[in-house]
Every structure is written in structure tokens, then in C-alpha cells.
Amino acid sequence: MILYNSRGAKKEEFKPYEPGKVRMYTCGPTVYHFAHIGNLRTYIMEDILEKYLRYLGYDVKRVMNITDVGHLTSDADTGEDKMLKGAKREHKTVMEIADFYTKAFFSDCAKLNIKTPDVIEPATNCIPEFIKMVEALLEKGFAYEAGGNIYFDTSKLSDYYVFGNQNEEDLEVGVRESVEEDTNKRNKSDFVLWFTKSKFEDQELKWDSPFGVGYPGWHIECSAISIKHLGEHLDLHCGGIDNAFPHHTNEIAQSEAYLGHEWCPHWFHVLHLRDARGKMSKSSGNFLILSLLEEKGYDPLVYRMFCLQSHYRKPLVFTFETLDNTKVAYEKLRRRIAALKREGEPDLAAAEPYRESFRAAMDNDLNSSLALTSVYDVLKADLSDATKLWLLEDFDRVLSLNLTTPLPEAEAPKPQDDPAAAEIEALIEKRTQARKNKDWATADAIRDQLREKHVVLVDTPQGISWHFEN
Ligand code: AMP
Ligand code: ZN
């Protein structure tokens, strides 16, 4: 499979460290608020990636953290503590907030058919692992103590800006814009591994450590959790593009300094969802959540399809008009599939070229929108219904759009979706007109025609209904 790698900034063949096995890590949510549909875009595209790797036969182990401590409103370690901010807003404890929004996040994931990762690890479960790593970094000379906090010394690395698109000046801008500059840092790009001196006197969660009572920095969480569950060689690390710097850059710095070798060669970043006001973000308050879409009558899978219709490396602009178009397309697609008959055996040889084009799309840097066109190609193809259904089930192992799940009664296929049924409907309509016009000869002729087609007509108060003879 060819996949774009942010580390190196090019498309390349994805090769795991151990053949046949993929160790995959995804940055999980900071649980101080609902995930917005921008966050969910990232999780949907990561889900597609995971499922496609499984489809290719890889044995995937996927780990996700839950950030319930340490994430400040600026990713460069300044600003307010996000969890504390959430707790104050709702007059609850940090752990109550974490528990509530973690459940809400996985409930959204379930509605979007996002598979639950093999391991979900809240940061607050791993304090000993963070301490162990910080101690080792101090011992190796990659970290220093200043003003009570422990910092990572980025000047010890020859290549800190691994993703290439950041420089000291960009960071200076970031520092100027943030609430206050941290004068403890030796270099502007240094970051906190362990806080003891927090300006938040009411910081609820604190742990004892060799460096003093305090709490971990956000970046150390993902490195330590990944190494705990996936070992020293990670194959694939994922997140939204805003995570590339400083979060992922810092993860690489500290993990590779700690391990003494390359840690993760492949980095997968999903571009942002925006709307008319710009990037969707929790902290700016400019966001939409999945339950709002549900309240407005959208099936969550319509939003999943909306995301699949565009490439993960392009920014995606959300409007209700485009979502409406996807809704119409999704409902029509489901009805067309529901009209297929489950009869006979699939012809696997005839199916193979369609699988190949699906795979070719996905192999080319996860081109999900092209993969979706394979669904339409199958529906249009000269294949038996059984073969079509077999192919759609196969693709849906990755797309997860419930393509072949039976429709609820109210949405059952409309007769016009089935050409044979549409012809019968037209004949019945003609016969009703003939009867209205007292043209009994035509009405009887049509009745005979329908009998030949084994159609039984039933008079009901709502008009004539029909079914095939048993
Ligand atoms: P957070 O809960 O803020 O830690 O973010 C969870 C995930 O969503 C991270 O991978 C972020 O990079 C990603 N993310 C944040 N904002 C957006 C957005 N507007 N569009 C897509 N992904 C986003
Ligand atoms: Zn992370």
C-alpha cells in the first residue's frame, strides 16, 4: 500500500517493522468537552486506515490514549489546563468530566461505525510509566530541571523539526501570542515533561514523583502509552494535522532520545474540517457535534460518507447543503442495494476485477472517494445480485456504511428502484385509470397481463396493493 508519510513528506510504500503485523497508535481525545465533527473526521479516516490494513490481512494492534490530564489550552505548554477548565464550567470534578466525555466520545464512535481500539488507555492510568521515562531522559542528559518543572532540552537533538515545516521563528510567534512566556526554558522549543510549579493552585490531579508532587506534560503521555503497549518499534502514528507540531514533534524527540533509536517511521495526518468561520475547534467554541446532526435528522453514517467523499489530505469544508447532498445520495444508495435479491451463489471470478479497482483506489494513499465509486460501478455492472451483494459486503468491511444492512420498514425500497416492480406499478396505475373511465375491456386486459406475471392485486382502503403469488 502506498501511503503519504508526513515524516519525509512523500508518498511511499507502507512497510511495518515486522512483516504481517501493524502496531498503530492514535492520539485520543482530550475529554473536557464533546468531540466535534472535525475531531470525528480524523477518527473516521483513521478507522478507514485501520480497517483497510486489516482487509489487506495485517494483524493490527491499535492503541489510543485518553487525555485526561496535562493538556493546556496552548499546545506549547501555556494557557489554562483544559480539563480544569471543563470541570469549572460544569461545576464537577475533573474525573467526573473525564468519565462523562469519554463515554460520549465512544458513543459517537459507535454511531459512526468506528471500531473501538484494541487498547484504550487514560493518561491517569500510566503515571509510573511517565515517571520512568522522565527519569531516564534526565539521566541521559536530554532533560533538565528549572523552576521546579522538568523540561526536554531540544538543543540536544540535531534534527528536532522532523516534519520540516516549522522553524524557530514560527515558534516565536506562537510564544508571543500565548498568555505568557515560560522563562524557565533554555530554548524556545523546549517543552515540559513534568510540571510541579503550576500556576493552577487548584490543580486537582497531582502525583508524587522523584521530581516533586505534580503532573505530566501532555506530550509524554502518548510516547509512554505507546511504548507501554506497542513496544520500542511503532509502525504507524496517526492524528489530526494540528498534532504534527508541537505534539508529534515532541513525541518523536523524547521517544527517540529515550530509546536511542528510530521509534516510528510512518506518520499519518488528517487535514482539518472547517466551516465558514474557519477551522473547527473546541477551544474557540466554534464547533458542531454529532448529536446536533442527529437532532437535525441526519443518520451519523451520512456524516461518515461525507468524510469518505473527500481525501484525508485535503481540508474539508462543512456546509449543511453538501451534507444534504450526501444524505440524498446515501439514502438512494441504500435503497438501490436493498432492492437486490439474495438468491444464488456469487460469481467470485466475475467479482475479482471490481475488488481490484477498490483495492487500487485504497492502495493509492487511501483514496476513499475513488473507492466509493467502486460501489456505484458494482451496482451498474452486469453481475448477478448475489455477486453484487457479495462485493458490497466485502467493501463495507472497510467503508462501514451499513451498505447491505436491511432497511427499516419505513425506508424499504421504493418500487421505482426495482425495474420489474416499476413496470407492475405502471400497469396498476393504467388499470385504475381505465376503471375510472369505465373502460372495462382495458381494465380486464391489464388484469390478465398482471396474472401472467403472477401478480395478485388486493383492494385496500388506501387503494390497490399487490404482491407476487406465493
Ligand atoms: P483533541 O480532542 O483536541 O485532543 O483532538 C482530537 C483529534 O482531533 C486530534 O487528532 C486532533 O488533531 C484532531 N482535530 C482537532 N481539530 C480538528 C479539525 N477541525 N478537523 C479534523 N481533526 C481535528
Ligand atoms: Zn498524542
Side-chain angles (χ1 to χ4, degrees), residues 152-168:
F152 187 91
D153 185 349
T154 54
S155 70
K156 292 276 151 65
L157 304 178
S158 54
D159 182 21
Y160 167 66
Y161 296 106
V162 275
F163 296 117
N165 49 1
Q166 295 293 331
N167 56 45
E168 295 278 343

Side-chain angles (χ1 to χ4, degrees), residues 25 27-28 65 218 222 237 243 247-248 251:
Y25 185 86
C27 289
N65 68 304
W218 172 41
C222 288
H237 196 308
N243 282 164
H247 183 48
H248 291 165
E251 278 188 48

Side-chain angles (χ1 to χ4, degrees), residues 236-408:
L236 188 53
H237 196 308
C238 314
I241 190 67
D242 58 307
N243 282 164
F245 185 84
H247 183 48
H248 291 165
T249 304
N250 292 349
E251 278 188 48
I252 293 174
Q254 65 205 0
S255 299
E256 297 192 353
Y258 172 75
L259 295 168
H261 58 71
E262 190 185 50
W263 168 52
C264 180
H266 203 109
W267 291 75
F268 174 87
H269 288 121
V270 179
L271 270 281
H272 284 146
L273 183 82
R274 306 159 180 231
D275 65 9
R277 291 170 295 175
K279 178 201 157 190
M280 203 166 277
S281 92
K282 281 188 228 178
S283 46
S284 70
N286 156 29
F287 62 85
L288 290 171
I289 57 176
L290 191 67
S291 37
L292 183 100
L293 299 190
E294 284 182 286
E295 272 165 34
K296 286 182 180 281
Y298 298 97
D299 182 330
L301 295 183
V302 168
Y303 182 63
R304 186 175 171 104
M305 178 146 152
F306 174 82
C307 292
L308 300 192
Q309 282 168 330
S310 81
H311 195 257
Y312 76 92
R313 275 198 306 116
K314 294 212 175 94
L316 176 57
V317 178
F318 178 86
T319 65
F320 278 103
E321 288 75 36
T322 27
L323 191 65
D324 282 337
N325 292 340
T326 307
K327 181 176 181 207
V328 171
Y330 179 67
E331 288 172 356
K332 197 166 167 203
L333 180 63
R334 294 279 310 271
R335 285 200 304 271
R336 277 177 77 182
I337 296 170
L340 298 174
K341 295 189 182 59
R342 289 197 174 270
E343 285 164 4
E345 289 300 312
D347 178 346
L348 300 191
E352 199 44 38
Y354 295 89
R355 290 189 87 205
E356 270 165 28
S357 41
F358 177 77
R359 277 203 305 264
M362 295 298 280
D363 278 341
N364 183 8
D365 196 21
L366 214 68
N367 193 336
S368 54
S369 62
L370 195 60
L372 267 180
T373 64
S374 302
V375 169
Y376 290 95
D377 292 342
V378 165
L379 284 169
K380 278 186 281 179
D382 185 17
L383 296 168
S384 69
D385 281 7
T387 311
K388 288 182 183 180
L389 283 166
W390 185 85
L391 276 165
L392 297 171
E393 267 159 20
D394 185 61
F395 300 168
D396 214 31
R397 283 161 52 204
V398 178
L399 303 176
S400 297
L401 289 170
N402 289 2
L403 292 179
T404 59
T405 312
L407 288 176

Side-chain angles (χ1 to χ4, degrees), residues 411-429:
E411 298 169 21
K414 296 218 167 70
Q416 63 266 31
D417 295 328
D418 179 340
E423 195 192 329
I424 292 164
E425 293 280 327
L427 281 171
I428 294 174
E429 179 54 32

